[in-house]
Amino acid sequence: MYDQPRPNPATPAMTFDQMLERVRYEGAYPTRERAAEAVHHVLAALGRQLTGDERVDLAQCLPVEAALTLTAQIPTTEHLTGWGFVKDLAARTGATPAVARWDTGAVLAVVTRLAVVTRLAGPDLLARILRRLPGGYALLFGQAELRQPQPAA
């Protein structure tokens, strides 16, 4: 399955260099290289989880280099919870879960800002992404995790 580009793609709200600087600031990383590593690892992991129009729309919000990292991944059939996402990222990168969670928070905070400010995506892109993913991702994106009460059985 290949994601098809949409007509009239939006111009990303920031360049890849600007994105790296924002992630470096958010994550308090000592170097741009460390920020770039976090961006590529987290977006690759997100690319394995996100499918459909939300994947395409998010890619269009990102700078080209980041979008390529996201969309180069083949989505997996195993849908991970937010905590599963962090554990999987830690296992793939050799980091501790705490470092993987830190990296995820730093990168997705910037991705959230990009998704919100891009006019093409609209303000509901983040809500659509969170509806598509299993529970636990809202906190990773810096949002409150609001759940509908489940009826008693």
Side-chain angles (χ1 to χ4, degrees):
M1 173 172 107
Y2 296 100
D3 294 322
Q4 299 298 314
R6 301 233 192 259
N8 302 319
T11 303
M14 66 177 66
T15 66
F16 188 63
D17 287 336
Q18 290 169 328
M19 181 182 188
L20 290 181
E21 284 305 313
R22 291 300 312 159
V23 170
R24 183 176 177 193
Y25 176 80
E26 290 288 333
Y29 297 116
T31 64
R32 278 177 53 95
E33 291 75 22
R34 178 63 185 96
E37 182 180 295
V39 166
H40 289 297
H41 287 309
V42 172
L43 290 179
L46 186 60
R48 288 188 290 276
Q49 293 297 308
L50 194 57
T51 60
D53 289 342
E54 291 77 17
R55 177 182 168 109
V56 174
D57 291 346
L58 179 58
Q60 288 185 336
C61 296
L62 299 173
V64 172
E65 298 89 338
L68 289 173
T69 298
L70 177 82
T71 59
Q73 304 304 309
I74 298 171
T76 183
T77 56
E78 180 186 4
H79 300 288
L80 301 172
T81 64
W83 176 236
F85 177 88
V86 170
K87 290 192 307 187
D88 181 64
L89 181 61
R92 287 176 186 267
T93 62
T96 65
V99 169
R101 173 60 181 95
W102 184 269
D103 290 350
T104 300
V107 173
L108 294 185
V110 175
V111 168
T112 298
R113 279 192 217 109
L114 284 170
V116 169
V117 300
T118 304
R119 286 187 208 130
L120 172 73
D124 70 333
L125 176 59
L126 185 58
R128 290 188 297 126
I129 289 170
L130 292 175
R131 279 194 302 271
R132 180 165 292 275
L133 296 169
Y137 281 85
L139 292 174
L140 298 178
F141 280 93
Q143 306 294 307
E145 179 92 35
L146 302 176
R147 292 278 195 198
Q148 294 295 325
Q150 299 297 321

